[in-house]
Amino acid sequence: MKKTTWLIISAIFIIILSGSLGSLYLDYLWFSNLGYASVFVTLFSNRFIVQAIAFLFFFAFLFLNLLLSRRAVVDMSNLRLRQALMNTPAGNILAKNRVTVFFAAVSFLFAILFTGYTGGYWFTIRQFFSAQPFGLADPIFSRDVGFYVFSLPFYNFINQYLSSLLVITLLVIGSIYLASSTPGISLKNLSFLYEGGGHLSLLLALFFLVKAWGYHLASFNLIHSTQGVVTGAGYTDVHARLPALNILMVLALVCAAALVANIIMKKPRIILICVLGLVAASLILGGIYPYAIQTLQVEPNQFNREQEYIRHNIDFTRRAFGLDQISDTDFPAVDTLDGAALMANENTLGNVRLWDYRPLQDTFNQMQGIRLYYRFTGVDSDRYQVDGNYRQVMISARELDKDRLPPASQTWVNQRLQYTHGYGVAMSPVNEVTSEGLPTYFIQDVPPRTAAGTELTRPQIYYGELTKGYVIVNTKTEEFDYPLGNTNAYTTYEGSGGVELGGFFRRLLFALKMGDYQIMLSGELTPESQVMFYRDIAGRTEKITPFLRMDRDPYIVVDDGRLFWVRDAYTTTNLYPYSQQYGGANYIRNSVKVVVDAYNGDVTYYVAEPDDPLIQTYAHIFPDLFKPLEEMPGGLRAHLRYPVEMFNLQASVLRTYHMQDTRVFYTKEDQWQFPTEQYQGQSQVMEPYYTTIQLPGEEKEEFVLMLPFTPNERNNMISWMAARMDGDNYGELILFNFPKDRTIWGPQQIEARIDQNSVISQQISLWDQRGSSVIRGNLLVLPVNDSILYVEPLYLRSDQSQLPELARVIVAYGDMVVMEENLDAALMRIFGDYKGDGVPVPPADEEPEPPADDEEPPADDEEPVVTPPPGLDPELRLILQQAAELFSRAQERLREGDFAQYGRIMEELEELLAPYQ
């Protein structure tokens, strides 16, 4: 029975081990398929080598010390203990003189238990040996920043490892000598210290040497101190803790020397004096003394004591987050816009983002989803050359969500062999809208219909954000490509993605790895079939480079007829000296742009910031991984974006660290905050947004990421920051400061003015009733020349269709807030002489000039222009204008035979006029 049990246990162990090794082998093939076999070898072998070395050294050191104590075990003087152990396994070991084997087993067990963590430090070790300098020294020890980022973590690890090794060894060896000594322990009876005094003194001497080194390292670790008013070594650290650590280091060295002498002297009291003396000194010098300095010298005069260290913190934090590279300039924010200025910024106004990504995602899913199993998971903003024009667009991938297949269709063949990929994208210009309030498209439908400059010849998406789980392509089963009327179009994969299934052995390994026996049984598979796994963009990129911090929002790009995912990656550390930590790091660079081919799954890493010492170090560790940005195809480089995540982090730091005067920083009297805006009836923090504007002093419009700031606990704007990303300007940050002698309307103040406008608020309230809801989109703060325009799109969503439609555009400028059907109409309401086609028009509150005598009357089939009579109340005048517009649209739908739209518009007209009946 016992033999059978052991056979079963052994079989289970072999299966688990084989599965683990098989999975590791398939991962190697996966890396090889991507051209990163050397990366896999580095990732795996370095971890194994570090842990093996740590294990062997721990085992050898402990085993050697146990052998030195072997005589004490064999010649135990405590006969009662020996007798008590005689009937136990330990006693049997003593009896059979198998002490050496027992010691080897104990050493092996302790080495396994206490070195398992060391493999995780392989990257710290490799960074130490591949470290690149930062070219900047800290202000306290004059060490290069690279010492704190690369060298100090390695030294701390070695110190921690040696300390734990010596402590474990001391406890084990001390226990042996204690067990072999005369019973009873007191200051007068320390026979175990006498009998093993030389051995214990040697171990303690080594421990105190390591402890002295630890105190020395702790001095450098003060550079990351959080005990003062700011991060970094403060007054108490420099004038109390640093001298204390130096004194403790000297005391530890003295104790080590005394213990070396005690190897011969074998006086137990020396051991006790060293141990207890250093503990007492640590309590006084490391605790009481710094507390007294902080309380008696620093706190009564904190700013003067800490001013020097506040300056260090400001300077190093700004460098760590790239704030020292921000250009600072003034923005006058004057109300001098007119029609001519607007026409001069025609391209800017022609790219105003009226489509908010949140309601647009719902629209894409309803209008471009085509089938229930297609889903759009995120909408991103980008810029393209469309028909020769620079256009800002909203774009989203049409991915396949297999969970949405009907239950009867969720068979193994469908999920693994047939429904393998998504198809195409939806792309809309940011500023265009149909008469029904829906977006127009540059790319739409399946198969894709595209505008000039956005051609898409390889629309299949095998790798994306929703591509969870594995699929097998190039099988005997044709893959579903896209729906085609009442039937479907099918395809066979022609790319290089995936690992070949191969013969029986590899097929077995895949079945074990995927936990799917169907791989072994299916007759639809061939040796040439390709298994695609790790297909989701997040898991795929992080599998290759777990040491990079990945952006949470990859975005899709159309280039040369193909689809690519671009994901930003960051090099970070929390070990930059004197830098305040934000978002889990106190240093960050957007050093890598990762590109994933949506069809083949190829992953390419391009270095975007070659001067970053972290990426230089990583490139030295992985010489075959990174490519210079210059090797990226020009079509893809044109779509690189400054990432929102990076921008948001820098903006968060800037809220405090724009204050470079140490006294102002200390009092926080000029703290900034992010503005708030209204969305779906709730106040929320404003997000950075991509927009196309012509920056002050520039000759043409460009794609930028921007965000305004407001003073702390106030709503007026104080400044705005923009990140440039077109051409050679990529990565430039500019901070525009508003005048401080007058109030510049902030987003929340504009939202309040919208709410206070009786005409607008009444219309919004009317729409929010009777089966529909109003969605207020992102409020855009748009710099135009030296002025500011505020634009907020308004969407209407029926409770029945849940389809958001762009219903109105609100524009605020100066003291005016207006709402119209489109941006051009709203601008004409404010400026009067502005129109999209450049033809001047009379202001909305003026009566049009009567027609000339020779002007032809309108044709019989032409809708007359209904103009409210002059002299009416402005509110009633607006209601009549809106009613006339709705009636005109309804008549147009009636002539087209679109009775459904006609009925909907007439219902809207009835709701508009209901309060006045």
Side-chain angles (χ1 to χ4, degrees):
M1 184 68 180
K2 290 184 178 180
K3 185 176 181 180
T4 304
T5 303
W6 277 110
L7 286 174
I8 294 173
I9 293 174
S10 299
I12 293 174
F13 176 76
I14 291 172
I15 291 173
I16 294 174
L17 181 62
S18 299
S20 299
L21 293 176
S23 179
L24 194 66
Y25 171 66
L26 293 178
D27 281 351
Y28 170 76
L29 294 179
W30 182 83
F31 273 85
S32 298
N33 176 255
L34 294 172
Y36 295 134
S38 63
V39 175
F40 175 84
V41 171
T42 300
L43 289 171
F44 175 74
S45 64
N46 280 246
R47 179 184 294 270
F48 176 79
I49 290 170
V50 167
Q51 191 158 342
I53 292 174
F55 168 82
L56 291 173
F57 186 81
F58 197 109
F59 172 83
F61 186 84
L62 180 57
F63 183 59
L64 176 62
N65 279 277
L66 285 170
L67 290 179
L68 291 175
S69 67
R70 184 174 184 275
R71 181 176 179 181
V73 175
V74 175
D75 300 333
M76 273 190 181
S77 61
N78 190 340
L79 296 179
R80 287 178 299 174
L81 179 60
R82 177 187 281 179
Q83 292 169 357
L85 292 175
M86 192 57 65
N87 295 323
T88 66
N92 191 42
I93 290 171
L94 295 176
K96 295 182 179 180
N97 200 26
R98 296 178 178 174
V99 176
T100 302
V101 176
F102 176 67
F103 281 171
V106 170
S107 300
F108 182 87
L109 178 62
F110 275 94
I112 286 289
L113 290 176
F114 292 99
T115 63
Y117 73 95
T118 57
Y121 281 88
W122 74 267
F123 197 61
T124 299
I125 296 170
R126 286 302 305 270
Q127 286 187 100
F128 171 76
F129 288 106
S130 303
Q132 302 297 310
F134 277 71
L136 175 68
D138 79 275
I140 304 300
F141 302 104
S142 299
R143 295 271 190 148
D144 186 86
V145 170
F147 169 79
Y148 300 97
V149 175
F150 302 125
S151 301
L152 189 57
F154 171 75
Y155 295 142
N156 285 332
F157 162 67
I158 298 298
N159 185 264
Q160 175 190 354
Y161 172 78
L162 293 177
S163 296
S164 63
L165 171 61
L166 288 167
V167 168
I168 296 299
T169 304
L170 276 166
L171 290 175
V172 173
I173 301 302
S175 298
I176 290 174
Y177 287 121
L178 177 63
S180 64
S181 65
T182 303
I185 299 176
S186 67
L187 289 176
K188 295 182 179 180
N189 185 14
L190 295 173
S191 59
F192 83 100
L193 292 179
Y194 179 80
E195 293 171 11
H199 190 181
L200 292 175
S201 293
L202 175 61
L203 290 175
L204 281 170
L206 292 175
F207 175 78
F208 277 101
L209 283 174
V210 172
K211 191 65 178 175
W213 186 37
Y215 286 131
H216 180 63
L217 296 178
S219 300
F220 295 113
N221 287 321
L222 288 175
I223 212 77
H224 306 301
S225 172
T226 57
Q227 300 297 313
V229 68
V230 293
T231 296
Y235 183 90
T236 301
D237 295 313
V238 173
H239 293 86
R241 292 189 178 93
L242 180 57
L245 287 170
N246 290 331
I247 293 172
L248 289 171
M249 179 183 68
V250 172
L251 289 176
L253 291 173
V254 170
C255 288
L259 289 165
V260 169
N262 197 50
I263 296 174
I264 300 174
M265 298 168 62
K266 296 184 179 180
K267 293 185 177 181
R269 292 182 182 274
I270 292 179
I271 296 176
L272 291 177
I273 290 171
C274 288
V275 173
L276 297 179
L278 193 63
V279 170
S282 297
L283 291 174
I284 296 172
L285 296 174
I288 297 174
Y289 177 60
Y291 176 78
I293 294 296
Q294 178 70 23
T295 304
L296 300 177
Q297 293 189 17
V298 177
E299 291 182 0
N301 192 21
Q302 190 174 55
F303 174 72
N304 289 331
R305 296 290 190 188
E306 301 283 10
Q307 183 176 11
E308 174 186 354
Y309 310 104
I310 293 174
R311 168 51 55 199
H312 299 330
N313 175 263
I314 294 173
D315 292 342
F316 277 78
T317 300
R318 287 178 59 85
R319 286 192 182 98
F321 289 95
L323 305 189
D324 60 320
Q325 301 300 312
I326 297 178
S327 301
D328 216 315
T329 188
D330 292 329
F331 190 87
V334 292
D335 295 336
T336 57
L337 275 184
D338 54 21
L342 293 180
M343 287 305 300
N345 288 271
E346 184 179 14
N347 290 332
T348 295
L349 299 176
N351 281 292
V352 172
R353 183 171 63 82
L354 301 180
W355 285 106
D356 188 302
Y357 69 92
R358 290 161 292 196
L360 185 59
Q361 179 174 323
D362 295 335
T363 302
F364 278 177
N365 275 308
Q366 294 202 44
M367 301 300 294
Q368 285 294 307
I370 311 297
R371 294 290 188 271
L372 288 176
Y373 42 75
Y374 284 133
R375 185 151 69 95
F376 295 91
T377 57
V379 181
D380 293 296
S381 189
D382 204 344
R383 68 284 198 203
Y384 284 79
Q385 289 289 336
V386 181
D387 201 16
N389 296 314
Y390 186 94
R391 300 299 299 273
Q392 184 176 344
V393 303
M394 306 299 285
I395 183 172
S396 184
R398 184 185 292 103
E399 296 201 61
L400 181 68
D401 186 352
K402 289 185 287 190
D403 293 337
R404 293 189 173 190
L405 288 172
S409 299
Q410 293 190 9
T411 63
W412 186 83
V413 170
N414 279 347
Q415 291 191 315
R416 301 304 181 191
L417 310 184
Q418 195 163 78
Y419 288 88
T420 57
H421 58 272
Y423 199 88
V425 298
M427 181 191 291
S428 294
V430 295
N431 65 318
E432 293 185 10
V433 59
T434 68
S435 57
E436 290 81 16
L438 300 174
T440 62
Y441 296 95
F442 290 150
I443 303 179
Q444 62 181 319
D445 300 339
V446 291
R449 293 189 291 131
T450 64
T454 62
E455 291 78 11
L456 188 55
T457 56
R458 182 62 82 181
Q460 292 85 358
I461 302 174
Y462 286 87
Y463 301 87
E465 294 184 272
L466 289 181
T467 47
K468 312 296 183 183
Y470 77 95
V471 296
I472 306 177
V473 298
N474 194 17
T475 68
K476 297 176 183 178
T477 300
E478 283 190 308
E479 301 170 53
F480 165 76
D481 202 21
Y482 59 86
L484 192 62
N486 294 326
T487 183
N488 295 323
Y490 293 89
T491 188
T492 299
Y493 184 70
E494 299 174 348
S496 59
V499 176
E500 280 197 359
L501 185 61
F504 173 82
F505 176 71
R506 195 182 289 183
R507 187 185 279 213
L508 176 62
L509 293 182
F510 272 116
L512 290 173
K513 182 178 180 65
M514 306 304 174
D516 193 340
Y517 69 92
Q518 294 278 14
I519 296 176
M520 291 294 298
L521 302 180
S522 176
E524 298 297 306
L525 307 180
T526 70
E528 292 75 29
S529 296
Q530 295 152 266
V531 185
M532 295 180 173
F533 53 107
Y534 304 139
R535 294 193 303 140
D536 64 294
I537 301 302
R540 194 171 186 82
T541 52
E542 290 163 17
K543 182 77 175 177
I544 302 170
T545 51
F547 47 87
L548 292 177
R549 172 171 164 177
M550 292 293 177
D551 193 274
R552 291 168 289 184
D553 183 29
Y555 60 97
I556 199 158
V557 172
V558 180
D559 179 51
D560 196 24
R562 301 175 66 91
L563 294 174
F564 299 89
W565 294 94
V566 179
R567 192 179 191 192
D568 288 282
Y570 309 100
T571 53
T572 64
T573 182
N574 58 3
L575 299 173
Y576 199 89
Y578 266 111
S579 177
Q580 181 69 40
Q581 190 171 123
Y582 282 83
N586 69 359
Y587 171 92
I588 187 170
R589 291 293 184 270
N590 178 210
S591 292
V592 180
K593 302 290 185 178
V594 189
V595 177
V596 181
D597 189 312
Y599 188 74
N600 288 326
D602 297 332
V603 184
T604 310
Y605 293 81
Y606 295 100
V607 176
E609 293 200 32
D611 295 332
D612 172 31
L614 281 174
I615 200 61
Q616 292 173 357
T617 300
Y618 299 168
H620 192 270
I621 298 172
F622 301 97
D624 300 326
L625 180 57
F626 300 102
K627 294 183 178 181
L629 191 62
E630 290 73 21
E631 293 186 18
M632 180 184 287
L636 285 175
R637 288 192 68 179
H639 294 284
L640 293 182
R641 306 188 312 178
Y642 200 92
V644 171
E645 191 171 318
M646 177 75 172
F647 187 84
N648 227 352
L649 182 62
Q650 290 177 304
S652 297
V653 181
L654 187 66
R655 290 182 303 174
T656 299
Y657 284 87
H658 71 276
M659 298 180 286
Q660 299 187 56
D661 180 274
T662 53
R663 185 173 294 277
V664 174
F665 182 94
Y666 176 74
T667 60
K668 299 295 189 292
E669 64 185 65
D670 192 23
Q671 185 86 17
W672 292 351
Q673 65 182 10
F674 294 146
T676 56
E677 61 177 348
Q678 295 294 317
Y679 184 77
Q680 289 192 329
Q682 301 292 327
S683 178
Q684 66 175 27
V685 175
M686 196 172 190
E687 301 174 352
Y689 52 91
Y690 293 102
T691 188
T692 301
I693 60 174
Q694 183 175 330
L695 290 171
E698 299 299 325
E699 297 181 356
K700 63 178 183 178
E701 73 283 352
E702 58 186 287
F703 192 60
V704 302
L705 179 63
M706 64 172 291
L707 180 70
F709 296 93
T710 62
N712 201 28
E713 298 183 359
R714 293 173 59 191
N715 289 323
N716 61 288
M717 281 199 301
I718 191 75
S719 63
W720 62 281
M721 184 167 72
R724 307 177 72 182
M725 57 198 84
D726 282 354
D728 294 337
N729 296 321
Y730 181 89
E732 290 184 15
L733 295 175
I734 307 176
L735 181 66
F736 296 91
N737 297 298
F738 291 119
K740 294 187 177 182
D741 57 352
R742 52 193 173 87
T743 298
I744 309 299
W745 296 107
Q748 194 59 252
Q749 292 172 321
I750 296 296
E751 298 280 20
R753 291 176 61 195
I754 293 172
D755 292 335
Q756 293 164 6
N757 186 292
S758 59
V759 177
I760 297 176
S761 60
Q762 185 177 10
Q763 181 65 74
I764 291 175
S765 299
L766 182 64
W767 278 329
D768 258 331
Q769 303 166 6
R770 301 188 182 184
S772 63
S773 59
V774 173
I775 302 173
R776 291 165 68 164
N778 281 133
L779 177 65
L780 305 177
V781 179
L782 299 176
V784 180
N785 285 5
D786 290 333
S787 303
I788 293 291
L789 272 178
Y790 305 85
V791 178
E792 181 173 274
L794 212 62
Y795 309 93
L796 191 62
R797 179 164 57 193
S798 169
D799 293 341
Q800 294 180 345
S801 69
Q802 291 294 305
L803 178 64
E805 300 175 4
L806 181 59
R808 293 290 185 272
V809 177
I810 300 174
V811 175
Y813 174 75
D815 294 328
M816 299 187 67
V817 179
V818 300
M819 181 175 72
E820 288 294 336
E821 282 196 350
N822 54 59
L823 179 62
D824 284 341
L827 292 173
M828 284 189 280
R829 282 279 312 282
I830 294 176
F831 298 99
D833 58 352
Y834 172 80
K835 194 175 181 181
D837 57 8
V839 178
V841 297
D845 57 353
E846 293 182 9
E847 183 180 2
E849 295 181 4
D853 294 337
D854 58 350
E855 186 174 336
E856 292 290 333
D860 292 339
D861 61 347
E862 187 178 321
E863 286 293 334
V865 178
V866 180
T867 305
L872 285 179
D873 176 76
E875 182 175 333
L876 184 54
R877 181 183 181 88
L878 179 58
I879 295 298
L880 289 175
Q881 284 180 331
Q882 294 171 348
E885 292 168 3
L886 287 173
F887 182 76
S888 177
R889 288 170 54 195
Q891 294 302 309
E892 183 180 348
R893 297 294 170 269
L894 185 61
R895 285 195 302 272
E896 295 174 353
D898 189 347
F899 298 106
Q901 284 292 329
Y902 171 78
R904 189 187 68 80
I905 296 174
M906 291 304 292
E907 288 179 1
E908 188 177 342
L909 176 61
E910 182 180 351
E911 291 177 357
L912 177 66
L913 298 176
Y916 303 96
Q917 293 178 352

